[in-house]
Amino acid sequence: MKNRQIWLRSRPQTIPGAEHFAVRDAEIPELGEGQFLVRNAYLSVDPAMRGWLLDEGNYLPRVEPGETMRAFAVGEIIASRNPEFVAGDRVTGLFGWQEYTVADAEQVLLRASERDLPLSSALGVLGLNGVTAYFGLLDICAPRAAETVVISTAAGAVGSCAGQIAKALGCRTIAITGGEEKRRKCVDEFGFDLAFDYKAEPDLRAALSAACPEGVHCYFDNTAGAISDAVLANLANGARVAVCGTAALSTWNPWPLGPRVERHLLTKRASMKGFIALDYKARFPEAISAIANWVRAGDIRYAEDILDGLDAAPGSIKHLYDGANKGKLIIRLAAAEDLVRDPQQGG
Amino acid sequence: MKNRQIWLRSRPQTIPGAEHFAVRDAEIPELGEGQFLVRNAYLSVDPAMRGWLLDEGNYLPRVEPGETMRAFAVGEIIASRNPEFVAGDRVTGLFGWQEYTVADAEQVLLRASERDLPLSSALGVLGLNGVTAYFGLLDICAPRAAETVVISTAAGAVGSCAGQIAKALGCRTIAITGGEEKRRKCVDEFGFDLAFDYKAEPDLRAALSAACPEGVHCYFDNTAGAISDAVLANLANGARVAVCGTAALSTWNPWPLGPRVERHLLTKRASMKGFIALDYKARFPEAISAIANWVRAGDIRYAEDILDGLDAAPGSIKHLYDGANKGKLIIRLAAAEDLVRDPQQGG
């Protein structure tokens, strides 16, 4: 049995493209004690990949040329030498852009145990995107009912989930997204009270100021850049900013400049705090269970943009930055088809 | 009885100088119900004054031309129509750059009740400087013993107090200050473990990196600017930054640029939070009592730079920015002399 893998051929200087990767067939090693073999069904494409490839001093080491591309994936265990992880279990983890992964318990991020919901959601709303939205919003922003919550990349997998949780908590939710189609989606599908297309706003800062006469109490920041500058100029007293991502910036080398934040923080007694969802791993089951219930109740909707086959992976990262993807970007492998035919799999 | 006052003649565009102020004699109004008359002994000169004069959208309205200059002062009540504030009480408040102030309870910031310590300290270590250090360090930075705490303008009234509190809590304390004299003072008088003269360091970022192999756990930021940029590049995981002042920046119009902070906050799961000590007013007595005990025990030393007479006030703000003052800058009025002759007054 061969294992097709996408490996890093050369290090990109900016947004990674198909030319930086190649495909290879690899042997699957024997399972060691405690290991198990995952047959991957869906592979994830995430903004964090850019950082894994480009930036040193990140929270994970860089992926080196020659290595299989690091990626989250969800699949089914088909062989095991670990009594805690048995054949038929479905698990999510950093399994890489490949068909099969020899993994151990440490590599598992989550068990995909909400079997009435589609397995692909384990890479999105019931996966790292969902828990990122959950902890960033509840732990860092900590909004109170009736407060104004602004979310950037609001049509994205994390932003749309965070906005809907905030709405479920009784907040006024304001979306910032790029393009009229996404703007409408934020209002019509994700229930934001108001949505701005930053590309169409001549003065986003003024538009936010008019829309938020009492200021912005919470800002869930997925972009940094000019969008954040406009939001930070409109903070309410005591505002909380959760720094989750920097999608608006294509590189940190050279380090980008922006308006200094100190005076906003000082005069508004405001806070900015960065967080990484993986730090909350011990609390993931709590978050997934809550999100699954919101999904079942119709309070949280989610969108997926599914590409077919491993060969779609190398060119997929670019899609995150050209604004064309319409939901959580996922690569579907052959294993997914087989699992859909499994009567236990819903959706 | 006439009341000499310093009033704002014209709005400065940058650091305020003597030319922006003038002196006048004013009548003292009759006391209304609940009011009392304070004879001011010491007037304060604070970095915040620049903002009160220049910047709109601050936490207090701007001082308008024609108004008496806003300032903290401490003095003795000499007449009262308020049973809570009686003749002989010593109080600190926003009493302005003037000899006498008709005040009410709302204007009082603190009672200067630690009578064994010098009254001038009520404008510094036992006043707003001390409580600023106390709450910024304990509430925002919240250092644990053995953590590394970096403080900018560390020889100043706030910085030196914050550093000594951190040291008393068992932290490793690192001072950043300007000039060799202040650098020595930080180590010799204020007990910092290490002190940097940022003017003499060719690469402060690298120097901090070498001095803090585990990173900076807490940063008490009084400057913003290039000093902060160097510290923020050296944060430890989970670092807390208390944004207290922006002394390194002479104006926010035009708004200054700097290296964006988001990636530091994100990769280090760090937080920056602005605070204004006046928000902690209800807890001031707790802080003053704790600081007074540290002062008596010799754990907190403080430095004062006292100018004599109301006429010294207009030119005093500039001293805060030319780096020449050697401690908390205070204007001493005639009333202080009379109080020193009072046997109840120590120091």
Side-chain angles (χ1 to χ4, degrees):
Chain A
M1 196 163 67
K2 290 288 183 183
N3 180 22
R4 292 188 76 220
Q5 302 176 322
I6 306 295
W7 59 284
L8 181 65
R9 193 159 57 176
S10 63
R11 186 175 305 292
Q13 297 305 308
T14 174
I15 309 292
E19 67 276 20
H20 300 105
F21 299 97
V23 189
R24 68 185 167 203
D25 282 321
E27 297 294 325
I28 298 174
E30 292 288 305
L31 295 182
E33 185 64 32
Q35 291 186 319
F36 42 87
L37 182 63
V38 181
R39 186 179 179 214
N40 294 317
Y42 297 95
L43 309 179
S44 190
V45 187
D46 291 291
M49 288 174 158
R50 193 194 50 180
W52 296 342
L53 291 167
L54 267 69
D55 302 327
E56 292 189 84
N58 223 314
Y59 56 98
L60 286 174
R62 285 203 300 192
V63 178
E64 294 300 326
E67 292 179 2
T68 300
M69 179 58 194
R70 179 187 297 144
F72 289 100
V74 61
E76 188 166 76
I77 295 175
I78 57 172
S80 178
R81 294 187 60 193
N82 186 323
E84 302 293 317
F85 292 89
V86 300
D89 283 359
R90 294 170 184 185
V91 287
T92 304
L94 276 174
F95 299 151
W97 273 354
Q98 55 186 338
E99 292 176 323
Y100 296 92
T101 309
V102 172
D104 58 28
E106 285 289 296
Q107 278 168 269
V108 173
L109 191 69
L110 276 167
R111 288 172 182 272
S113 48
E114 312 286 343
R115 291 217 173 184
D116 58 316
L117 299 171
L119 184 61
S120 56
S121 70
L123 293 181
V125 73
L126 295 188
L128 202 56
N129 296 148
V131 298
T132 300
Y134 184 92
F135 292 109
L137 187 78
L138 298 183
D139 258 50
I140 316 284
C141 287
R144 293 177 281 270
E147 285 191 326
T148 295
V149 176
V150 172
I151 297 178
S152 59
T153 73
V158 173
S160 62
C161 183
Q164 291 173 97
I165 296 175
K167 190 72 196 168
L169 298 175
C171 298
R172 179 166 175 257
T173 54
I174 297 183
I176 303 176
T177 187
E180 174 60 14
E181 189 182 352
K182 287 185 180 174
R183 198 196 66 75
R184 283 184 161 278
K185 196 168 182 171
C186 284
V187 175
D188 297 343
E189 290 186 37
F190 302 133
F192 282 89
D193 292 299
L194 195 64
F196 291 105
D197 168 11
Y198 72 88
K199 296 175 178 171
E201 284 296 335
D203 187 342
L204 182 62
R205 176 176 173 164
L208 282 168
S209 173
C212 309
E214 292 173 17
V216 174
H217 300 96
C218 299
Y219 173 41
F220 193 113
D221 172 21
N222 290 306
T223 58
I227 291 171
S228 287
D229 301 339
V231 181
L232 291 172
N234 281 290
L235 296 181
N237 262 356
R240 290 84 66 197
V241 176
V243 179
C244 179
T246 62
L249 304 171
S250 60
T251 178
W252 288 89
N253 183 17
W255 201 277
L257 300 181
R260 298 197 73 95
V261 300
E262 288 91 341
R263 187 158 190 272
H264 295 313
L265 301 183
L266 193 50
T267 60
K268 300 300 171 52
R269 300 84 154 154
S271 65
M272 289 177 81
K273 183 165 174 15
F275 75 104
I276 289 169
L278 294 174
D279 291 344
Y280 292 90
K281 190 173 173 184
R283 292 176 58 197
F284 280 180
E286 156 204 337
I288 294 296
S289 170
I291 295 168
N293 284 334
W294 274 314
V295 169
R296 292 186 187 103
D299 289 330
I300 293 183
R301 298 178 179 201
Y302 62 96
E304 293 177 342
D305 194 350
I306 295 186
L307 305 177
D308 260 307
L310 189 67
D311 295 326
S316 62
I317 300 175
K318 267 198 191 315
H319 287 306
L320 298 172
Y321 293 93
D322 64 17
N325 65 304
K326 306 208 185 313
K328 165 65 194 174
L329 197 55
I330 293 171
I331 314 287
R332 176 166 45 200
L333 301 186
E337 302 302 319
D338 299 340
L339 290 172
V340 168
R341 288 189 284 272
D342 170 351
Q344 278 195 279
Q345 166 68 25
Chain B
M1 195 163 67
K2 291 288 182 182
N3 180 21
R4 290 187 79 220
Q5 302 175 320
I6 307 295
W7 58 284
L8 181 64
R9 194 158 58 176
S10 63
R11 186 175 306 290
Q13 297 305 308
T14 174
I15 310 292
E19 67 276 20
H20 299 105
F21 300 97
V23 189
R24 67 185 167 203
D25 282 322
E27 297 295 326
I28 298 173
E30 292 288 305
L31 294 182
E33 184 65 33
Q35 291 187 319
F36 43 87
L37 183 64
V38 181
R39 188 182 179 210
N40 294 317
Y42 297 96
L43 310 180
S44 190
V45 187
D46 291 291
M49 288 175 157
R50 191 194 52 178
W52 296 343
L53 291 168
L54 267 69
D55 301 327
E56 292 188 82
N58 223 314
Y59 56 96
L60 286 173
R62 285 204 300 194
V63 178
E64 295 299 326
E67 292 179 2
T68 300
M69 180 57 194
R70 179 187 298 144
F72 289 99
V74 62
E76 188 167 77
I77 295 174
I78 58 172
S80 177
R81 293 187 60 193
N82 184 324
E84 302 293 318
F85 292 91
V86 300
D89 283 0
R90 293 170 185 184
V91 287
T92 305
L94 276 176
F95 299 151
W97 273 354
Q98 55 187 339
E99 292 175 324
Y100 296 93
T101 307
V102 174
D104 58 28
E106 286 289 296
Q107 278 167 269
V108 172
L109 191 69
L110 276 167
R111 288 172 182 273
S113 48
E114 312 286 344
R115 290 216 174 187
D116 59 315
L117 299 171
L119 184 61
S120 57
S121 70
L123 293 181
V125 73
L126 295 187
L128 202 56
N129 297 146
V131 298
T132 300
Y134 184 91
F135 292 108
L137 188 77
L138 298 183
D139 259 50
I140 316 284
C141 288
R144 294 178 280 270
E147 285 191 329
T148 295
V149 177
V150 171
I151 297 179
S152 59
T153 72
V158 173
S160 62
C161 184
Q164 291 173 96
I165 296 175
K167 190 73 196 166
L169 298 175
C171 298
R172 178 167 177 255
T173 56
I174 298 183
I176 303 175
T177 186
E180 174 60 14
E181 189 182 352
K182 287 185 180 174
R183 198 196 65 75
R184 285 184 159 277
K185 196 168 182 172
C186 283
V187 175
D188 297 343
E189 290 187 37
F190 302 132
F192 282 89
D193 292 299
L194 194 64
F196 292 105
D197 168 11
Y198 71 87
K199 295 175 179 172
E201 284 296 335
D203 187 343
L204 183 60
R205 176 176 172 164
L208 282 167
S209 174
C212 308
E214 293 174 16
V216 174
H217 300 97
C218 300
Y219 173 42
F220 193 113
D221 171 21
N222 290 306
T223 57
I227 291 170
S228 287
D229 301 339
V231 181
L232 290 173
N234 282 290
L235 296 182
N237 262 355
R240 290 84 66 197
V241 176
V243 179
C244 179
T246 62
L249 304 170
S250 61
T251 178
W252 288 88
N253 184 15
W255 200 277
L257 299 181
R260 298 198 72 96
V261 300
E262 288 92 340
R263 187 158 190 272
H264 295 313
L265 301 183
L266 193 51
T267 59
K268 300 301 172 53
R269 299 85 153 154
S271 65
M272 290 178 79
K273 184 168 175 10
F275 75 104
I276 290 170
L278 294 174
D279 291 343
Y280 292 90
K281 190 174 173 184
R283 293 176 57 197
F284 280 179
E286 155 204 338
I288 294 297
S289 170
I291 296 167
N293 284 335
W294 274 314
V295 169
R296 292 185 188 104
D299 289 328
I300 293 183
R301 298 179 180 200
Y302 62 97
E304 293 177 341
D305 195 349
I306 296 186
L307 305 176
D308 260 306
L310 190 67
D311 295 326
S316 61
I317 299 175
K318 268 197 191 313
H319 287 306
L320 297 173
Y321 293 93
D322 64 16
N325 65 305
K326 307 207 186 314
K328 165 67 195 170
L329 196 55
I330 294 172
I331 314 286
R332 175 166 47 200
L333 302 186
E337 302 301 320
D338 299 340
L339 290 174
V340 169
R341 287 190 283 273
D342 168 353
Q344 279 193 279
Q345 166 69 26

